[in-house]
Amino acid sequence: MKAGIRDFILAGGVVMAVLAAVCGCSADNAPRLTGAEKDIIDAAGIMRVLTVDDRKDSLVLRSECIDFPMKALRSERFGRLADRMIATVTDSTQDGVGIAGPQVGLKRRVVAVQRFDKAGEPFEVYPNIRVEYLSDEKQTGPEGCLSIPEIYGEVERSQTVVISYVDIRTLDTVRDTVSGFTAVIFQHETDHLDGILFTDRM
Ligand SMILES: [Zn+2]
C-alpha cells in the first residue's frame, strides 16, 4: 500500500490491542517452493514490483495465494525473503507502507506491513496470514497501491481486524487484534493474497 496520506488517518487516533494466542493448528501440507520461486527470493537487490500495467503481472496479481510449508519458514531463505520485501517496500522508488507476496511475484501468503501502532513504526513480515475477524465498525480513507501506479481512491475498511499468522521465531500460529490505520494496511495487503485489489472496493 502506498504512503502519503497516512497522517490523515493517523490523526483520527489509533487504538490497538494485541492478543497473542497459541493455536496449535499447523497443518503442513503446503507445496514446497518451486525453483522459480527460489530464484525470485535468492536474487540480489530490491525485488521487482509487479503492476497491473503488465498483462503477465496482472495474472499473478489476480491469483489466489497458498501457504508456505513450515520447512520453508524455518529456512534461511525465508529470512532473506522477509529482508528483501522490507527493503523493497521501503525503497525510495516505492515508499510504501505494505507489500504482499504476489506484488513481488510470489503466489504465497506473506505480507510486510508497517506497524504504525507499535513504537518506532517497524515493518514486520507475516507468513501464512489470514484475517479471522472484521469489525462491523468501519472507517473510510484514501488508498493507493504499489501495483497500481498513479491511482488513489476512497475505500471503506473495518476499524478493527483479528489476524492469524505463523510467528517466525516460534513457528506457532498466533493472533493479533489490530485497529486504525494499521488495520487498513492489513486488509489491503491480505486482499492481495486473494487476488483482490483496492480498486475493486472503490
Ligand atoms: Zn496494494
Side-chain angles (χ1 to χ4, degrees):
M1 183 166 150
K2 194 83 179 145
I5 326 161
R6 71 186 76 151
D7 294 339
F8 171 77
I9 301 167
L10 283 172
V14 175
V15 181
M16 179 239 170
V18 177
L19 166 68
V22 177
C23 166
C25 47
S26 62
D28 192 15
N29 46 15
R32 295 163 56 177
L33 293 177
T34 65
E37 287 176 320
K38 289 176 183 173
D39 287 347
I40 289 172
I41 296 169
D42 292 347
I46 68 163
M47 307 180 86
R48 185 176 79 82
V49 176
L50 281 59
T51 72
V52 294
D53 296 340
D54 182 278
R55 193 176 170 78
K56 270 190 183 170
D57 286 1
S58 281
L59 294 175
V60 177
L61 291 167
R62 287 302 190 178
S63 299
E64 191 79 28
C65 295
I66 56 175
D67 280 338
F68 288 84
M70 296 303 278
K71 191 176 173 211
L73 296 181
R74 284 192 290 266
S75 71
E76 272 182 36
R77 182 173 274 121
F78 187 82
R80 178 179 176 83
L81 171 62
D83 290 346
R84 292 189 69 222
M85 285 181 75
I86 292 174
T88 302
V89 70
T90 57
D91 189 76
S92 60
T93 60
Q94 301 293 345
D95 188 29
V97 293
I99 195 166
Q103 293 183 279
V104 293
L106 298 171
K107 294 188 267 188
R108 297 278 177 170
R109 298 195 71 87
V110 60
V111 302
V113 168
Q114 187 167 13
R115 294 297 301 253
F116 288 99
D117 53 343
K118 290 187 177 182
E121 302 182 346
F123 276 85
E124 296 182 350
V125 173
Y126 301 87
N128 298 1
I129 185 171
R130 283 178 176 73
V131 174
E132 301 213 332
Y133 166 81
L134 293 160
S135 68
D136 290 336
E137 191 187 349
K138 309 285 189 195
Q139 54 188 333
T140 299
E143 293 186 25
C145 181
L146 304 180
S147 293
I148 313 177
E150 313 297 333
I151 303 291
Y152 295 88
E154 295 282 323
V155 182
E156 186 182 70
R157 301 283 192 184
S158 290
Q159 173 69 24
T160 299
V161 297
V162 176
I163 55 167
S164 70
Y165 60 95
V166 175
D167 185 302
I168 293 306
R169 290 155 300 182
T170 64
L171 296 178
D172 289 328
T173 297
V174 296
R175 290 193 177 83
D176 273 357
T177 301
V178 184
S179 294
F181 183 48
T182 306
V184 172
I185 305 172
F186 273 113
Q187 288 167 81
H188 178 115
E189 302 308 334
T190 53
D191 266 356
H192 274 296
L193 307 182
D194 298 322
I196 298 168
L197 303 174
F198 85 94
T199 44
D200 299 339
R201 298 193 183 278
M202 279 164 55

